[in-house]
């Protein structure tokens, strides 16, 4: 017979002991467990500010941004003179896209404690998101002078330089990415290539980030080929067939990751280190577009009467660290479908494409997924369309590299490569940028695209 111990309530612990347990779990990376304990503490004692503050930080780390802001706000209201809590609240508000409030929270923290470098650094992050790049770099420099010389600071300063169009300094500091947790270099044998000219040596270049990064930066491979004897490029498999057909790889040997064995080489280098090591200036490496070309045996979209054919991509991978800001919902882009004279085609993959079918957009949006097995297929379909309208994700780079007309939707705090205060891209001459004017609000972006699309329809109707 059971003694009932399995159903006995957990032994109660005092508040301080529970708090220490939660902190230990949080520091060990068990964020969800820490949140559970913190929540039990504040339910038992709503006046205990440290638990509110810590659960807010933990929730933000877990991606539960709005709940994190609310908990941190509770904690700050109970402990308004806590500079660390104010700075953490600023971090959460920044993650929520409430940038003006985030700036004010960081300024309040610095007013209480002006000598803590991390608080100044956090303010710099918000200023960068607000587009005050000079102010951001000034804060990063100040934080570093105060002793906060972290790899993250140097990395974030690199992004500010790049956003400002200072590619030379930006790509130099971009090398600090290897010192932060989000980026790890390949564990390869042999020395790293350091920029030397050696006509008899072989260099292995490897793709290191997402598909869009690979598409954007393969333009530097011919420049490397001019300095060394032979170049191997290890690429992701979904890009291989497209690259094999593209003229930019004429003098580069492709290696398919996880398919081909690595060849013998003298040194290796990450793809996104090439701009720095090749000592490029403040202009992107010249690349005659199109520099990618799909193979001949790939699908096309048939032309129907005189309708404008527009391809759509409205969401990227949810795992992307900035997906909360860059991706749109289907309802956000729905006004586009009201534009007469346009046939819309979805280049969207996975769950968002399923949503379009489930919510009844089938008559408005032709699903091209059955024709897409890799980027070569996507490239051919893009080439056969008149216009691509896309979120900031890989198809934007693909269309730009193909030299096809592409309208890219850019969040208020943009990725570094789109810079600021311009509606064109030095990376892709065929690209037009539509920028948010308010964080997390796509309304006016879609309105501007609808207006531009209507003009495009008129021009298309007049074309021979």
């Amino acid at each position: 017979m059971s003694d009932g111990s399995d159903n006995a309530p957990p032994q109660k612990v005092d508040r301080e002991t529970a708090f220490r347990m939660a902190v230990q779990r949080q520091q060990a990376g068990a964020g969800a467990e820490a949140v559970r304990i913190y929540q039990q503490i504040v339910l038992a004692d709503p006046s205990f500010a440290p638990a509110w503050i810590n659960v807010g930080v933990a929730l933000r780390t877990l991606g539960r941004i709005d709940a994190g802001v609310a908990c941190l706000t509770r904690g700050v209201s109970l402990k308004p003179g806590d500079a660390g809590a104010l700075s953490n609240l600023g971090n959460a508000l920044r993650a929520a896209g409430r940038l003006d409030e985030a700036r004010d929270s960081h300024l309040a923290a610095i007013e209480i404690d002006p000598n803590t470098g991390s608080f100044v650094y956090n303010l710099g992050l918000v200023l960068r998101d607000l587009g005050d790049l000079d102010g951001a770099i000034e804060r990063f420099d100040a934080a570093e002078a105060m002793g906060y010389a972290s790899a993250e600071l140097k990395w974030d300063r690199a992004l500010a330089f790049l956003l400002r169009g200072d590619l030379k300094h930006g790509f130099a500091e971009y090398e600090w990415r290897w010192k932060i947790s989000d980026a790890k270099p390949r564990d390869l044998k042999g020395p790293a290539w350091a920029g030397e000219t050696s006509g008899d040596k072989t260099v292995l270049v490897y793709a290191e980030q997402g598909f869009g990064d690979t598409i954007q930066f393969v333009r530097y491979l011919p420049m490397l080929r001019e300095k060394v004897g032979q170049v191997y490029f290890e690429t992701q498999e979904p890009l291989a067939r497209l690259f094999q057909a593209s003229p930019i790889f004429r003098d580069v040997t492709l290696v398919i990751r996880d398919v081909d064995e690595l060849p013998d080489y003298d040194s290796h280098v990450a793809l996104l280190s090439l701009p720095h090591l090749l000592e490029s200036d403040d202009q992107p490496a010249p690349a005659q577009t199109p520099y990618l070309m799909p193979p001949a045996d790939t699908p096309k979209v048939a032309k129907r009467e005189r309708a404008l054919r527009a391809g759509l991509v409205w969401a990227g991978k949810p795992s992307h660290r900035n997906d909360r800001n860059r991706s749109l919902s289907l309802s956000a882009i729905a006004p586009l479908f009201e534009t007469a004279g346009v046939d819309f085609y979805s280049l969207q993959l996975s769950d968002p494409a399923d949503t379009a079918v489930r919510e009844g957009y089938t008559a408005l949006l032709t699903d091209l997924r059955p024709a897409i097995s890799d980027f070569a297929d996507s490239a051919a379909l893009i080439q056969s369309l008149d216009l691509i309208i896309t979120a900031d994700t890989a198809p934007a780079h693909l269309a730009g590299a193909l030299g096809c007309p592409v309208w890219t939707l850019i969040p208020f705090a943009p990725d570094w490569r789109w810079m600021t205060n311009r509606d064109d891209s030095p990376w892709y001459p065929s690209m037009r940028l539509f920028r948010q004017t308010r964080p997390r609000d796509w309304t006016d972006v879609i309105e501007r695209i609808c207006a531009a699309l209507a003009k495009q329809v008129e021009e298309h109707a007049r074309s021979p």
Side-chain angles (χ1 to χ4, degrees):
M1 179 182 294
S2 170
D3 62 3
S5 59
D6 291 343
N7 298 317
Q11 183 179 2
K12 291 185 178 181
V13 296
D14 64 88
R15 186 186 72 182
E16 299 300 332
T17 300
F19 185 73
R20 286 195 298 271
M21 289 172 54
V23 170
Q24 290 170 356
R25 301 314 299 149
Q26 189 172 2
Q27 292 174 342
E33 187 177 347
V35 165
R36 180 183 59 79
I37 300 172
Y38 287 133
Q39 288 173 336
Q40 290 175 346
I41 294 171
V42 297
L43 285 171
D45 183 359
S47 66
F48 189 50
W52 283 114
I53 293 165
N54 283 16
V55 73
V57 173
L59 286 166
R60 179 180 69 84
T61 303
L62 292 170
R64 301 170 190 172
I65 307 300
D66 296 331
V69 168
C71 290
L72 278 159
T73 301
R74 291 275 193 101
V76 167
S77 69
L78 292 167
K79 200 175 181 183
D82 188 329
L86 283 162
S87 191
N88 277 315
L89 175 58
N91 292 339
L93 288 165
R94 173 178 175 248
R98 295 161 60 177
L99 300 180
D100 290 333
E101 296 171 78
R103 177 192 56 207
D104 293 344
S105 191
H106 287 307
L107 287 171
I110 293 168
E111 185 175 359
I112 294 168
D113 180 0
N115 299 315
T116 297
S118 62
F119 299 165
V120 178
Y121 161 70
N122 288 337
L123 175 60
L125 294 175
V126 177
L127 293 179
R128 189 185 66 194
D129 289 352
L130 284 166
D132 181 3
L133 301 179
D134 291 341
I137 292 170
E138 180 182 333
R139 296 319 190 283
F140 294 148
D141 290 345
E144 186 174 41
M146 296 165 72
Y148 189 75
S150 70
E152 286 78 8
L153 180 148
K154 294 177 184 294
W155 159 254
D156 283 306
R157 184 166 55 198
L159 300 185
F161 280 134
L162 293 168
L163 271 168
R164 196 168 67 176
D166 185 351
L167 302 187
K168 186 176 182 64
H169 288 99
F171 281 124
E173 286 218 328
Y174 199 76
E175 292 301 295
W176 279 93
R177 68 194 182 279
W178 302 125
K179 301 296 184 181
I180 64 175
S181 59
D182 288 351
K184 297 295 180 186
R186 290 287 301 280
D187 184 17
L188 295 172
K189 296 179 180 178
W193 185 69
E196 68 275 9
T197 298
S198 50
D200 61 342
K201 299 296 184 181
T202 297
V203 177
L204 171 68
V205 185
Y206 59 90
E208 57 170 291
Q209 298 186 30
F211 296 122
D213 301 281
T214 303
I215 292 168
Q216 181 179 359
F217 284 93
V218 293
R219 68 181 68 214
Y220 286 91
L221 293 175
M223 295 176 62
L224 173 62
R225 179 64 181 81
E226 293 174 1
K227 292 176 69 77
V228 301
Q230 186 175 8
V231 174
Y232 288 103
F233 179 55
E234 185 199 45
T235 188
Q236 305 98 317
E237 186 175 5
L239 288 165
R241 194 162 63 101
L242 171 64
F243 287 171
Q244 287 165 346
S246 298
I248 199 170
F249 290 93
R250 185 176 296 115
D251 297 319
V252 174
T253 303
L254 283 172
V255 179
I256 304 174
R257 182 173 298 166
D258 299 325
V259 175
D260 299 329
E261 291 187 7
L262 288 179
D264 294 331
Y265 56 86
D266 297 297
S267 58
H268 56 82
V269 63
L271 179 62
L272 271 70
S273 290
L274 291 181
H276 168 58
L277 293 172
L278 292 168
E279 299 181 345
S280 58
D281 56 19
D282 284 343
Q283 292 299 317
Q288 183 176 357
T289 53
Y291 61 85
L292 297 183
M293 189 68 63
D297 59 338
T298 41
K300 304 288 190 294
V301 174
K303 191 171 181 64
R304 186 175 68 82
E305 298 178 356
R306 297 188 62 80
L308 180 79
R309 296 166 298 172
L312 288 180
V313 180
W314 58 93
K317 283 186 177 181
S319 58
H320 189 279
R321 64 184 301 174
N322 196 42
D323 196 65
R324 180 182 173 96
N325 292 314
R326 67 170 184 161
S327 289
L328 291 80
S329 65
L330 190 60
S331 60
I333 68 166
L336 296 177
F337 301 122
E338 299 172 15
T339 307
V342 183
D343 287 343
F344 289 100
Y345 296 85
S346 172
L347 294 157
Q348 185 71 55
L349 302 177
S350 67
D351 291 346
D354 293 333
T355 300
V357 175
R358 187 168 57 250
E359 295 189 4
Y361 284 86
T362 303
L364 297 163
L365 183 63
T366 301
D367 187 355
L368 294 179
R369 281 182 297 173
I372 299 174
S373 62
D374 61 9
F375 277 90
D377 292 335
S378 293
L381 292 167
I382 286 171
Q383 275 194 333
S384 66
L385 296 168
D386 300 305
L387 173 67
I388 304 300
I389 302 172
T390 176
D392 176 13
T393 187
H397 294 275
L398 181 56
L402 292 165
C404 297
V406 52
W407 296 353
T408 305
L409 285 68
I410 305 297
F412 183 84
D415 187 82
W416 65 262
R417 70 202 76 219
W418 309 125
M419 304 178 188
T420 60
N421 300 316
R422 59 189 302 167
D423 60 7
D424 67 333
S425 169
W427 298 97
Y428 302 114
S430 66
M431 182 176 288
R432 180 177 176 185
L433 305 179
F434 288 81
R435 298 178 182 271
Q436 280 184 337
T437 57
R438 295 179 298 275
R440 302 278 173 81
D441 185 355
W442 292 105
T443 306
D444 74 312
V445 174
I446 297 301
E447 288 174 352
R448 283 183 276 129
I449 290 179
C450 285
L453 192 58
K455 291 182 179 179
Q456 196 81 3
V457 169
E458 293 177 4
E459 294 174 6
H460 184 76
R462 290 195 299 266
S463 63

